[in-house]
Amino acid sequence: MAAQFQLTDESVVVIIGSGAGGGTLGTELALKGIRTVILEAGGRHEIEDFVNDEWASFAQLAWKDMRTTSGDWRVAKDFANLPAWIVKAVGGSTTHWAGASLRFQEHEFKTRSVYGDVKGANLLDWPISLKDLEPYYERAEDRMGVTRTNGIPGLPGNNNYKVLEAGAKKLGYREVHTGRMAINSQERDGRPGCQQTGFCFQGCKFGAKWSTLYAEIPKGEDTGNLEVRPNSQVLRIEHDPSGKVTGVVYADKDGNLQRQKARMVAVAGNAIESPRLLLNSASAKFPDGLANSSGQVGRNYMRHMTGSVYAVFEKPVRMWRGTTMAGVVQDEAKHEPSRGFVGGYEFETLSLGIPFMAAFLDPGAWGREFTTALDAYENMAGMWIVGEDMPQESNRITLHPSLKDEFGMPVPNVHFSDHPNDVAMRNHAYKQGMAIYHAVDATRTFPTTPYPSTHNLGTNRMSENPRDGVVNKWGQTHDIPNLFISDGSQFTTGGAENPTLTIVALAIRQAEYIEQQMNQRTF
Ligand SMILES: Cc1cc2nc3c(=O)[nH]c(=O)nc-3n(C[C@H](O)[C@H](O)[C@H](O)COP(=O)(O)OP(=O)(O)OC[C@H]3O[C@@H](n4cnc5c(N)ncnc54)[C@H](O)[C@@H]3O)c2cc1C
Ligand code: SF4
């Protein structure tokens, strides 16, 4: 039976956001016997509510509240008020996500040491190493049911994958397989195996794909220690005269303001909302926002170097059949500066339905070039490229000086410009991606510009030294011991890998630390 805690209960842990970071942390704490409230801005849509229709599903699940953009990235021009594709619902972006679950490589935790001084980049080593995280990666893979780990077989490749694999192998790539996916390839953990329906981005109607919505949170609720309060958007975190956090103010489902007391607060609103909330919680004691003595809150916003390549073939591919991300090529993920950039990237199959393809293939385009591409949809294959982008101090989330949301909270502005390293890496990836498809006789290829950001990282980064970042190696803010960050905003650098497995591993590790600190009565 799910718990219900009093607003005045000062003994509860409050977590803001129920996605990969918050949903995992809340469940883990509840399993340890720690009484926890998750406040989630979005509604609770269960599996049976999901809709297998791209725009209808987006309307149901995505965070659509106004955001503004600046910087020279093309997203600012094409989608000025939609810089990111993030979910506002219980389960967070793990309802929409594709499931690709790759570990960081060793050097990606130490980029300042390995890449050296990259001009204009605010590189920093993580205060932890791959070795520190390995035991938690193992636990995360086990609970998420990641294929090709723990004896779980890989998923079968669909046509989109077969085209990618054939082209990649012709080019000489060797690390080509159907991925490590948090999607059941067979029944596991009370959830069925994947039915290959192809609506992974719309919320998996079978529950085969891991999501905190149904694979974590109900387990936490069953302990009687976890309450998830949907339609509860936190507006401000409060503190006492000593600076210790005491609770949060949130708008409930009717728009009424409520104050939830707390023993400690963990922020897991994704890398745009988390710094927005810290900045909006500025007070006389903390005039620049909470946990911001370094001035790094909101800075170093990363979104991964991304782009896509689609290709048309003589015969049908029907890429939409089967899992959306059906395979990966990892050969370019290594750090090999002779290519003209530091860090690396991966190719992962991607399929968009016609409604999304029309919006994203070449935003704003019209005319014969574009319409004939859509005509050839049945014969298309597609891939996404995802690589490490450089943290830059000037890429940042700030509070808009005048625009406010329905609760009077300033909207966030997302400022982003590519670093020259990001551009060099993307050009390399476009060239290689097109070569993969031409190797298997593509008749046309379309290098496609980045979509609104799905991987949002770095805006409350981890650092050894409080001067360089916002949180320590446990995700605990340097400035306030009972205030934690538990989402992708704590990443020091982004790696070439999709981030969620690392977010989950960090949340499991953080839960252990929080339990320990509570036992020692640190807060
Ligand atoms: C289409 C798509 C495909 C993706 N595919 C992959 C993939 O294959 N592999 C991968 O690793 N990653 C993938 N991702 C990214 C992945 O979903 C995110 O990295 C991950 O979910 C981020 O976790 P998080 O905890 O930081 O935030 P989220 O999971 O986004 O959760 C944040 C939650 O906090 C809530 N919130 C925010 N602010 C407040 C507030 N003030 N008060 C209360 N609640 C608040 C939000 O409503 C949201 O529910 C994908 C994302 C998308 C959109
Ligand atoms: S392809 Fe598999 S994981 Fe994706 S939505 Fe269908 S059943 Fe779920």
Side-chain angles (χ1 to χ4, degrees):
M1 181 55 190
Q4 264 194 315
F5 296 110
Q6 299 289 321
L7 291 169
T8 49
D9 190 339
E10 293 177 339
S11 70
V12 294
V13 169
V14 166
I15 299 176
I16 300 159
S18 61
T24 305
L25 178 67
T27 302
E28 196 67 10
L29 291 178
L31 290 169
K32 291 177 184 301
I34 297 171
R35 291 146 44 87
T36 304
V37 180
I38 297 182
L39 297 172
E40 167 53 56
R44 189 158 182 160
H45 307 284
E46 300 292 354
I47 288 178
E48 56 275 18
D49 306 327
F50 292 154
V51 260
N52 286 352
D53 175 316
E54 285 183 317
W55 284 117
S57 171
F58 184 86
Q60 181 187 46
L61 299 174
W63 186 289
K64 300 180 296 295
D65 303 13
M66 152 88 86
R67 289 173 172 145
T68 58
T69 45
S70 53
D72 69 15
W73 57 332
R74 188 163 157 188
V75 169
K77 179 172 133 242
D78 296 331
F79 306 99
N81 296 118
L82 189 72
W85 181 2
I86 298 179
V87 169
K88 183 181 190 177
V90 174
S93 307
T94 67
T95 54
H96 259 328
W97 81 314
S101 301
L102 302 169
R103 292 185 186 193
F104 265 43
Q105 304 164 72
E106 194 170 357
H107 71 267
E108 288 169 332
F109 289 97
K110 304 289 163 201
T111 54
R112 181 67 184 78
S113 305
V114 177
Y115 302 169
D117 190 10
V118 177
K119 197 171 163 228
N122 195 19
L123 284 172
L124 184 72
D125 289 352
W126 288 59
I128 55 172
S129 64
L130 176 61
K131 212 162 173 312
D132 294 321
L133 211 53
E134 259 164 1
Y136 301 94
Y137 271 140
E138 272 162 31
R139 285 169 58 184
E141 286 163 350
D142 184 35
R143 71 197 284 164
M144 297 165 84
V146 177
T147 57
R148 290 197 164 78
T149 74
N150 297 288
I152 304 168
L155 286 155
N158 61 4
N159 278 359
N160 203 17
Y161 171 70
K162 285 177 187 148
V163 172
L164 179 85
E165 183 191 41
K169 289 200 166 157
K170 266 201 166 174
L171 278 193
Y173 288 135
R174 301 156 71 101
E175 290 173 60
V176 187
H177 55 82
T178 60
R180 288 174 180 250
M181 304 298 295
I183 294 178
N184 281 349
S185 54
Q186 55 198 21
E187 195 181 326
R188 192 172 193 272
D189 196 25
R191 295 180 289 114
C194 172
Q195 306 296 307
Q196 297 292 328
T197 54
F199 287 100
C200 312
F201 278 3
Q202 281 70 46
C204 174
K205 280 196 91 64
F206 296 87
K209 184 187 77 174
W210 179 87
S211 168
T212 53
L213 172 66
Y214 43 77
E216 298 292 330
I217 286 169
K219 290 180 189 150
E221 289 175 326
D222 283 348
T223 65
N225 296 318
L226 176 64
E227 177 186 354
V228 177
R229 232 173 270 164
N231 301 304
S232 302
Q233 183 178 323
V234 177
L235 310 178
R236 211 165 56 240
I237 302 168
E238 297 190 316
H239 62 80
D240 66 14
S242 75
K244 211 177 107 189
V245 160
T246 53
V248 302
V249 173
Y250 69 94
D252 71 11
K253 61 180 189 335
D254 303 314
N256 296 323
L257 294 193
Q258 306 289 352
R259 175 171 283 112
Q260 174 66 55
K261 290 287 185 187
R263 177 174 179 178
M264 66 148 270
V265 172
V267 186
N270 207 318
I272 295 175
E273 294 308 313
S274 291
R276 177 190 182 203
L277 189 56
L278 295 184
L279 294 172
N280 197 50
S281 302
S283 62
K285 187 172 177 68
F286 300 115
D288 298 325
L290 291 193
N292 198 17
S293 63
S294 62
Q296 294 291 312
V297 169
R299 293 187 183 272
N300 310 303
Y301 170 67
M302 295 172 285
R303 42 109 50 219
H304 270 152
M305 182 290 293
T306 68
S308 313
V309 180
Y310 294 93
V312 172
F313 295 86
E314 295 256 325
K315 292 189 183 155
V317 178
R318 302 190 180 105
M319 64 175 172
W320 66 86
R321 293 186 177 169
T323 45
T324 305
M325 273 187 181
V328 61
V329 179
Q330 293 194 279
D331 297 68
E332 300 283 3
K334 56 188 180 270
H335 168 59
E336 195 182 82
S338 62
R339 289 173 299 179
F341 52 87
V342 299
Y345 65 88
E346 351 247 341
F347 299 110
E348 296 171 345
T349 76
L350 178 67
S351 158
L352 299 182
I354 290 201
F356 272 10
M357 191 60 87
F360 295 116
L361 182 66
D362 188 4
W366 198 239
R368 196 161 168 71
E369 167 81 6
F370 175 69
T371 53
T372 53
L374 289 187
D375 282 345
Y377 180 71
E378 196 173 19
N379 293 14
M380 257 188 200
M383 65 163 82
W384 197 51
I385 44 187
V386 51
E388 178 161 27
D389 59 343
M390 291 294 106
Q392 299 177 72
E393 276 211 313
S394 51
N395 284 345
R396 63 188 292 208
I397 314 303
T398 50
L399 299 181
H400 196 281
S402 54
L403 290 173
K404 297 202 178 3
D405 72 6
E406 59 177 316
F407 304 119
M409 195 172 170
V411 309
N413 183 67
V414 182
H415 180 92
F416 185 86
S417 295
D418 280 316
H419 185 278
N421 195 75
D422 309 343
V423 176
M425 187 191 286
R426 183 177 295 114
N427 288 339
H428 189 273
Y430 278 152
K431 184 166 146 274
Q432 293 305 106
M434 289 192 286
I436 286 176
Y437 288 140
H438 283 302
V440 281
D441 302 327
T443 53
R444 291 168 73 187
T445 47
F446 305 89
T448 299
T449 180
Y451 312 129
S453 315
T454 53
H455 298 175
N456 297 278
L457 306 166
T459 48
N460 292 308
R461 71 178 183 176
M462 248 188 213
S463 65
E464 186 71 55
N465 190 325
R467 194 191 51 209
D468 301 326
V470 179
V471 298
N472 67 15
K473 64 179 173 182
W474 306 106
Q476 180 179 33
T477 60
H478 288 301
D479 298 351
I480 304 174
N482 68 339
L483 177 63
F484 284 72
I485 305 291
S486 315
D487 59 14
S489 68
Q490 63 186 312
F491 281 31
T492 311
T493 49
E497 292 73 23
N498 317 57
T500 306
L501 178 72
T502 303
I503 295 174
V504 172
L506 288 170
I508 298 171
R509 181 171 173 271
Q510 187 179 70
E512 266 183 20
Y513 177 75
I514 289 173
E515 182 187 35
Q516 218 183 64
Q517 296 297 300
M518 283 187 154
N519 288 342
Q520 291 170 10
R521 302 224 145 257
T522 313
F523 46 76

